[in-house]
Amino acid sequence: MKLNLEQIPREKTLTKREFIQNYFKPQKPVVIERFIEDWPAYSKWNLEYMKDVAGDKIVPLYDDRPVKHDEGFNEPHAKMQMSDYVDLLKSGPTRYRIFLWNILKEVPELQQDFTYPDFGLKLMKGLPMLFFGGEDSYTFMHYDIDLANIFHFHFEGKKQCILFSQSETKYLYKVPHSLITREDIDFDRPDLEKWPALKHAKGHIADLEHGNVLYIPEGYWHYMKYVTPGFSMSLRSIAKKPQNLSRAVYNIFVMRHFDNLMRKWKGQQWIDWKNEQAVLRTQKLVQV
């Protein structure tokens, strides 16, 4: 059996009014295929260009190893010069990804290659983030700490994206006091006998290619897999629903610090307990 996933709607382009009425207000994801062709980035941005403009930068790298108690929140697993990282991406499959790389801080001139689009939402202009990955690398299923509305612009290659709304959380084996599901679930090819609650989850899927924009509604779970080497840029707008905004404040100012405190106090026992609870709580909610 496979996950119950429907294709995310695709639009060639959208007006601000169409986006607000058809996707933002109902909080539905959408892929916009031809929205940024007037950006210099559309014709300029590829891995070689990034190597040229940022080759000497030291970049943080992440892979798919399980969370450990002695690693801090979003602590990188390795570091490398961007030029060497691009060469690594082109040499073959690698699990190393770049995650949340702020281009305004690291390579300010890249801001000249794009404009902040008017989707009818106020975008956080200080936080344009880049994400890079090699063939077959992926992110764990997670949702963002601030539950923001996300516009995900993809460049070079192909990326597969699987989304779930927060209403499906009870089926996803969410790890308590965190933003992730069980890390040993392969959402690309899940074992539904081992993780039976996933059979009940209803989600969304889309493939992104160069120039596509994916709108991820606020708080949506997302799993990203790089089918081929490539990179994306995310722009975000603060959560508008009061319950999501309050959860974002809690996540940033309470949950994150509590989890770090418990890791230091309980060590790996805390991580193991959370993973066990992810299964027990899901079984209780779904009665599988």
Side-chain angles (χ1 to χ4, degrees), residues 138-153:
Y138 60 89
T139 65
F140 296 121
M141 182 66 75
H142 69 286
Y143 65 93
D144 285 13
I145 193 168
D146 59 355
L147 287 86
N149 294 275
I150 304 169
F151 299 93
H152 198 67
F153 304 80

Side-chain angles (χ1 to χ4, degrees), residues 11-149:
E11 304 274 8
K12 292 298 181 185
T13 189
L14 282 175
T15 65
K16 176 168 62 175
R17 181 177 179 277
E18 289 170 336
F19 169 73
I20 293 293
Q21 291 296 323
N22 298 335
Y23 297 104
F24 172 69
K25 285 186 175 179
Q27 286 288 280
K28 294 181 178 179
V30 63
V31 174
I32 312 171
E33 296 182 334
R34 305 185 63 178
F35 192 80
I36 63 168
E37 292 180 359
D38 60 336
W39 285 10
Y42 180 78
S43 58
K44 292 168 62 177
W45 282 19
N46 55 40
L47 290 172
E48 278 302 313
Y49 181 70
M50 291 295 166
K51 183 177 178 179
D52 289 342
V53 299
D56 62 337
K57 299 293 183 182
I58 302 297
V59 294
L61 302 177
Y62 302 82
D63 58 26
D64 55 2
R65 72 187 69 178
V67 169
K68 296 173 61 178
H69 73 277
D70 55 354
E71 292 178 344
F73 188 81
N74 286 344
E75 183 178 326
H77 299 135
K79 294 183 179 181
M80 185 181 295
Q81 271 199 332
M82 175 63 89
S83 57
D84 294 330
Y85 178 62
V86 171
D87 290 341
L88 178 64
L89 293 182
K90 293 191 169 188
S91 68
T94 176
R95 295 298 194 191
Y96 278 131
R97 297 175 290 107
I98 296 178
F99 174 72
L100 288 176
W101 199 54
N102 190 323
I103 63 174
L104 287 184
K105 177 181 177 182
E106 301 294 340
V107 193
E109 58 265 36
L110 287 176
Q111 189 177 354
Q112 300 172 14
D113 294 339
F114 68 93
T115 56
Y116 292 90
D118 184 5
F119 288 109
L121 304 179
K122 186 177 181 180
L123 298 174
M124 291 184 272
K125 294 186 177 181
L127 294 173
M129 297 293 185
L130 288 182
F131 304 79
F132 291 73
E135 180 182 343
D136 289 337
S137 65
Y138 60 89
T139 65
F140 296 121
M141 182 66 75
H142 69 286
Y143 65 93
D144 285 13
I145 193 168
D146 59 355
L147 287 86
N149 294 275

Side-chain angles (χ1 to χ4, degrees), residues 200-251:
H200 304 283
K202 296 180 180 180
H204 313 266
I205 189 170
D207 286 332
L208 301 184
E209 297 182 342
H210 182 87
N212 290 174
V213 185
L214 171 64
Y215 167 62
I216 304 176
E218 53 192 64
Y220 263 52
W221 292 90
H222 43 285
Y223 163 93
M224 306 286 199
K225 179 179 179 180
Y226 292 86
V227 181
T228 61
F231 63 100
S232 307
M233 179 179 73
S234 281
L235 300 177
R236 55 207 307 113
S237 176
I238 193 170
K240 303 301 187 294
K241 291 185 176 181
Q243 65 268 34
N244 287 340
L245 189 57
S246 63
R247 285 179 62 198
V249 172
Y250 171 79
N251 289 343

